[in-house]
Amino acid sequence: MANIRLENVSKRFGRVTALQSINLEMHHGEFFCVLGPPGAGKTTLLRLIVGLEKPDEGDIYIDDERVNDVHPRDRDIAMIFQNLALYPDKSVFDNVAFPLRERKMPAEEVRARVTQVARMLHIEHLLERKPGKLSGGERQRVAIARALVRTPRAYLMDEPLANLDALLRLEMRIELKRLQEQLNETLVYVTSDQVEAMSMADRVAVLYKGVVQQCDTPDNVYNLPANRRVATIVGSPPMNFLTCQVQRADGQLNLVHSGFGFQVIGSDHPLWDCLCRALPTVQEVLVGVRPEDIRLYPERPTDIIAFPACVAVSEPLGAETIVDVQLGRDIIKVITPPTQHFDEKQDIWVAFDMAKVHVMDAQTGVRIYTTGAPEQLQCILPGTCA
Amino acid sequence: MASVRLENLRKEFGPVVAVKELTLHFPDGKFAAILGPSGCGKTTTMNMIAGLEAPTRGSIYFDDRRMNDVPPGKRDVGFVFQNYAIFTHMTVAENIGFGLKIRGVDEATIRREVGKIAELLELTNMLNINAGRLSVNDMQKVALGRSMIVKPRIFLLDEPFSNLDAAFRAYMRGELKRIQREIGQTMIYVTHDQVEAMSMADHIAVMDFGVLQQFGTPDEIYNQPVNIFVANFIGSPNMNFIPCYFRSEDGRGYLVQRHGDARVLLDDQRRQLLERHPGNQDLIWGARPEHLTLHAQPSHPEYLRAMVRFLEPLGPKTVVHLELGEKDTIKVIAHPSYREPAGTVQWIEINPKYLHVFDAKTGFAVR
């Protein structure tokens, strides 16, 4: 078990900054995910921890020992790559046993340890086979077994499931989560798949263009994203963003879009504080709403305020349907139950879940406010906003 | 535009049969998807339509014209691949207009058509930028535009977005569908991603091992899968499958779990159907995770007793994994606030409307 800490770590390749001032701490026994799109710097981060790259600035600690100058071999960290490299001419047993034999462990101990790990990964029945005779999922398990066999201080995994087909990924996700709970070791897991991060991680660091955007529990990353970038990377389809004009007049504060408007009630409201006192010059904000926090109505509802809109296309997914809706000048995506059917070009009404509305700074994308209850923002009746 | 008809199409590569006796009809002006795991024959099928591969046997028709002997350049087919092919030293406008230029179309017409396509793809403000300076996302849009502008009779797309980031893929799904509707172009889209096929296509052909498994609308494929392969391949998380056998008791029909004592009560129609089915002692029932409901109490006698193993919180929903008897596991979609700990006993409600029954030997749905 180990605690891994990065302090102010930066890494450049020529003129390209791969990572910038990274501060992260991965705790003992934690399932820690690094999530980001391709090119975010995820793999570089792992390579720094394992020692395959050296930071240009900053320090890396493993259990309070500064390891910047420690050779990868002596860091005692196992890494599992996306492209598995198994020895094709060795049996599964010999593949898994390899790291132990290299360390001159007695044969009896090797056998006991390999058997134990094989049982954990459900590959006992495959031990005599060659990797070429295995399925993709089985090979992946063997690669993981080989990393687990020698109880290192921490495990690093670089998109280990990326090359597997969808069903196998689903199965392996469950296996990995279970395995990590059993092992209770530090696991740093890099992925570009938000579902993997959300479902497995204790904490997620969202990385974009070499900068940590947010590091928090999956719940918080999803419900309270630090900025627009995080809200786009986490959630599928991503959060909708609607540019609104900030109108401050006659002691009123309104956020107005071409298709809807909100009024901020009360000068003790946090948005008043932010938009009228702290940022009085800001002209635009982004209103962010997740596709599942919007409801569509074929007729104007009587009990809540809804806004007129028009269906662009429907994307049926089976369990749910994503409806692309023209709201004012923007198209938003809305998740609807499959039982609700809408035609293309159909006129409809859109209502937001007012307890889950986010407001972001249009310039920086930083989230400045999230409602927690429906009455915190008032909808402006359609037709009455400028 | 044209319809595409495949008749008994077969393709062999040496001893390997990549596509087996494939008969399909993609209607004119519609969006069709060919869906399946890698190695299912979907790209080979596409290549035969485009003329890049010659079929071993069988025929390809565009409308009523047999195309087998028409060279690829004469088939009037547009193509977009996973790896975008654009000229990085040309501007976006030059790239999009390229196909018209080499056909000798006059400058004014080219400018007008490029303008239309650019607007459709939301590239208007990038027309004068060098294509090499675009993001990979926009490069793929330019590749789309370049193929679209010549208005081919058939537009073929082979996993065009699979290298791009998830947010852009979600955005382009809606965009491409909207564009297809707007221009009424016949499109055939090859993918291994069931979400892409379901969300965009009017019709989906599901393939496995070179064999067509099912051809239907997204709704048919999802709600009436013809076999276990299709049922398992479509939907995420995938369908639950519980081995079982049929038993009749006091005029009521049940599916009894093979490795446990969970019993699912059948409606009369299903009971009569299964009574007559010769393989009714070796069945599998299937239910999608989103069609099951968890209850804290056995408030109805037909609820199935299960025990929570662990949870997968996904943001807008939580996948609850439960044990049903000693050997079977079952997944249920629950509200994101669901937090019952492992070991909790729960009662599963099955909506008979969404119950699937398969013959375990053949894998076919019993209908």
Side-chain angles (χ1 to χ4, degrees):
Chain A
M1 281 226 272
N3 214 52
I4 301 169
R5 202 166 75 244
L6 289 86
E7 278 183 9
N8 257 317
V9 169
S10 293
K11 176 70 189 174
R12 284 177 290 275
F13 296 104
R15 288 193 316 202
V16 180
T17 302
L19 290 170
Q20 201 177 341
S21 313
I22 304 287
N23 286 293
L24 282 176
E25 183 160 4
M26 297 122 190
H27 305 301
H28 291 291
E30 187 174 39
F31 199 129
F32 190 94
C33 270
V34 180
L35 171 69
K42 307 185 295 287
T43 299
T44 305
L45 185 71
L46 282 197
R47 292 173 63 86
L48 284 167
I49 296 173
V50 84
L52 297 173
E53 302 283 355
K54 280 195 165 203
D56 293 314
E57 279 157 38
D59 298 306
I60 300 170
Y61 295 90
I62 300 177
D63 285 338
D64 295 323
E65 176 200 0
R66 186 174 174 278
V67 294
N68 289 38
D69 303 314
V70 176
H71 191 274
R73 195 184 44 230
D74 301 324
R75 294 193 190 189
D76 195 18
I77 289 177
M79 183 144 166
I80 297 167
F81 298 93
Q82 181 178 339
N83 301 312
L84 351 150
L86 296 175
Y87 300 104
D89 54 328
K90 288 187 202 283
S91 69
V92 167
F93 184 95
D94 292 337
N95 263 287
V96 177
F98 187 79
L100 301 180
R101 288 181 177 149
E102 216 186 14
R103 282 171 175 72
K104 311 261 187 285
M105 188 187 266
E108 223 161 278
E109 246 175 89
V110 169
R111 179 154 294 280
R113 184 73 194 136
V114 170
T115 314
Q116 186 193 353
V117 171
R119 197 174 308 132
M120 205 186 268
L121 282 155
H122 306 301
I123 53 168
E124 305 130 282
H125 58 296
L126 305 175
L127 286 173
E128 301 314 316
R129 289 198 215 167
K130 296 273 166 68
K133 301 275 181 213
L134 305 179
S135 71
E138 288 167 343
R139 279 204 293 274
Q140 192 68 46
R141 277 166 214 240
V142 174
I144 293 170
R146 196 173 57 182
L148 295 187
V149 76
R150 62 175 185 89
T151 52
R153 293 204 284 182
Y155 301 95
L156 309 184
M157 297 192 182
D158 190 2
E159 309 215 33
L161 310 185
N163 288 340
L164 304 181
D165 71 50
L167 278 175
L168 207 51
R169 270 207 312 268
L170 199 88
E171 193 182 305
M172 287 302 293
R173 220 162 74 197
I174 297 163
E175 290 279 303
L176 276 176
K177 178 77 185 160
R178 186 184 56 83
L179 198 66
Q180 196 269 342
E181 273 165 11
Q182 257 179 359
L183 292 167
N184 198 26
E185 302 280 3
T186 311
L187 173 60
V188 183
Y189 187 100
V190 154
T191 180
S192 56
D193 180 350
Q194 56 108 14
V195 173
E196 287 184 6
M198 288 297 290
S199 61
M200 295 193 292
D202 295 314
R203 283 192 307 146
V204 183
V206 181
L207 196 64
Y208 183 76
K209 288 198 171 162
V211 178
V212 174
Q213 308 286 321
Q214 186 170 7
C215 178
D216 212 327
T217 61
D219 242 11
N220 281 344
V221 166
Y222 189 81
N223 293 312
L224 298 168
N227 55 38
R228 177 183 189 160
R229 198 47 71 183
V230 174
T232 304
I233 292 170
V234 180
S236 175
M239 188 181 280
N240 296 294
F241 295 100
L242 297 148
T243 305
C244 290
Q245 303 300 317
V246 179
Q247 293 180 346
R248 310 169 179 86
D250 310 328
Q252 280 195 353
L253 176 60
N254 293 342
L255 310 179
V256 178
H257 177 262
S258 51
F260 67 93
F262 295 145
Q263 186 170 37
V264 181
I265 303 287
S267 55
D268 53 347
H269 195 285
L271 269 179
W272 261 93
D273 221 42
C274 176
L275 293 174
C276 295
R277 296 190 190 104
L279 304 165
T281 55
V282 164
Q283 293 304 309
E284 286 180 349
V285 291
L286 297 173
V287 162
V289 191
R290 292 213 176 267
E292 64 269 25
D293 298 330
I294 306 173
R295 298 280 168 276
L296 302 182
Y297 300 88
E299 304 290 339
R300 185 175 192 164
T302 49
D303 50 339
I304 48 166
I305 296 181
F307 302 98
C310 181
V311 174
V313 286
S314 293
E315 305 172 46
L317 302 183
E320 60 205 22
T321 299
I322 300 169
V323 184
D324 291 24
V325 174
Q326 182 87 42
L327 176 64
R329 280 190 287 278
D330 286 314
I331 285 190
I332 56 171
K333 288 187 186 280
V334 181
I335 294 182
T336 61
T339 45
Q340 215 181 358
H341 180 82
F342 294 104
D343 293 319
E344 280 158 32
K345 308 259 154 71
Q346 182 182 342
D347 289 322
I348 50 157
W349 294 82
V350 167
F352 300 110
D353 181 343
M354 293 306 292
K356 291 176 180 170
V357 173
H358 306 271
V359 180
M360 273 103 173
D361 185 318
Q363 293 287 308
T364 61
V366 172
R367 183 176 57 86
I368 50 183
Y369 176 69
T370 296
T371 57
E375 61 282 357
Q376 289 170 345
L377 279 177
Q378 207 76 41
C379 290
I380 301 173
L381 277 171
T384 61
C385 48
Chain B
M1 311 296 148
S3 69
V4 177
R5 202 151 46 83
L6 311 177
E7 269 184 19
N8 283 314
L9 204 60
R10 183 181 177 90
K11 179 66 186 179
E12 297 169 5
F13 294 105
V16 180
V17 184
V19 176
K20 268 182 214 158
E21 274 64 47
L22 179 63
T23 298
L24 264 177
H25 178 233
F26 299 117
D28 190 5
K30 295 287 185 186
F31 199 134
I34 306 178
L35 172 68
S38 47
C40 76
K42 55 189 190 296
T43 295
T44 306
T45 303
M46 175 99 115
N47 287 344
M48 288 192 283
I49 297 171
L52 305 175
E53 302 272 5
T56 309
R57 276 204 292 281
S59 306
I60 299 163
Y61 296 92
F62 289 2
D63 290 333
D64 288 325
R65 182 166 174 218
R66 191 168 186 273
M67 302 303 283
N68 288 48
D69 302 320
V70 179
K74 295 259 157 66
R75 290 193 186 193
D76 196 9
V77 163
F79 227 140
V80 179
F81 299 97
Q82 186 174 331
N83 302 313
Y84 39 84
I86 61 168
F87 301 116
T88 49
H89 61 283
M90 290 186 188
T91 66
V92 170
E94 286 165 347
N95 264 286
I96 296 177
F98 185 78
L100 296 182
K101 194 171 177 190
I102 57 170
R103 281 170 177 75
V105 176
D106 66 276
E107 284 293 327
T109 311
I110 292 179
R111 208 171 313 122
R112 197 178 62 237
E113 291 299 312
V114 167
K116 273 195 221 163
I117 294 282
E119 195 169 323
L120 212 51
L121 289 166
E122 294 174 13
L123 288 169
T124 308
N125 52 9
M126 297 178 201
L127 281 175
N128 298 318
I129 297 177
N130 229 323
R133 299 186 48 189
L134 297 178
S135 70
V136 287
N137 293 351
D138 289 331
M139 282 192 191
Q140 191 60 300
K141 277 191 179 181
V142 172
L144 266 177
R146 220 179 53 166
S147 296
M148 269 164 51
I149 200 165
V150 296
K151 300 191 176 111
R153 298 173 71 197
I154 319 284
F155 201 23
L156 305 176
L157 302 104
D158 192 354
E159 313 226 10
F161 307 129
S162 62
N163 283 343
L164 307 177
D165 69 76
F168 183 74
R169 282 205 308 269
Y171 160 75
M172 277 313 285
R173 284 197 323 247
E175 284 298 283
L176 194 61
K177 184 163 186 174
R178 188 179 56 76
I179 290 167
Q180 191 275 337
R181 292 287 194 277
E182 217 152 292
I183 60 180
Q185 170 80 56
T186 309
M187 285 195 186
I188 303 177
Y189 191 103
V190 164
T191 180
H192 69 274
D193 180 353
Q194 52 107 9
V195 172
E196 288 190 341
M198 287 288 290
S199 59
M200 292 190 288
D202 296 303
H203 301 98
I204 302 174
V206 185
M207 292 182 71
D208 189 32
F209 288 116
V211 178
L212 178 69
Q213 305 289 316
Q214 187 168 1
F215 183 68
T217 63
D219 182 57
E220 287 164 352
I221 300 275
Y222 183 81
N223 289 311
Q224 298 158 48
V226 296
N227 60 28
I228 290 182
F229 175 82
V230 175
N232 195 29
F233 196 75
I234 307 284
S236 179
N238 61 327
M239 190 184 274
N240 296 295
F241 296 101
I242 308 292
C244 63
Y245 55 90
F246 173 77
R247 188 194 288 164
S248 178
E249 235 171 60
D250 309 329
R252 305 178 93 185
Y254 294 95
L255 292 176
V256 184
Q257 187 184 13
R258 175 144 332 270
H259 312 291
D261 50 12
R263 301 198 315 179
V264 178
L265 179 66
L266 297 164
D267 56 27
D268 274 350
Q269 196 191 350
R270 266 270 170 59
R271 177 179 59 84
Q272 287 165 15
L273 186 71
L274 286 169
E275 236 157 27
R276 292 194 304 268
H277 184 74
N280 68 10
Q281 291 310 294
D282 196 4
L283 300 168
I284 291 172
W285 65 259
R288 297 197 180 277
E290 58 272 25
H291 293 152
L292 300 172
T293 316
L294 294 179
H295 296 278
Q297 299 298 329
S299 35
H300 192 284
E302 302 307 335
Y303 290 177
L304 307 183
R305 186 182 193 277
M307 201 168 72
V308 176
R309 279 181 66 214
F310 62 94
L311 310 180
E312 276 189 288
L314 300 184
K317 59 194 174 203
T318 293
V319 185
V320 186
H321 294 254
L322 305 105
E323 273 168 25
L324 185 70
E326 278 178 15
K327 275 193 172 169
D328 294 319
T329 59
I330 194 161
K331 305 176 286 285
V332 180
I333 300 285
H335 194 266
S337 61
Y338 187 95
R339 287 289 178 272
E340 297 295 337
T344 310
V345 171
Q346 296 278 277
W347 299 84
I348 301 177
E349 177 186 354
I350 300 176
N351 184 341
K353 200 177 129 198
Y354 296 117
L355 181 71
H356 302 261
V357 184
F358 304 95
D359 184 307
K361 286 231 163 57
T362 65
F364 283 113
V366 183
R367 293 243 171 87

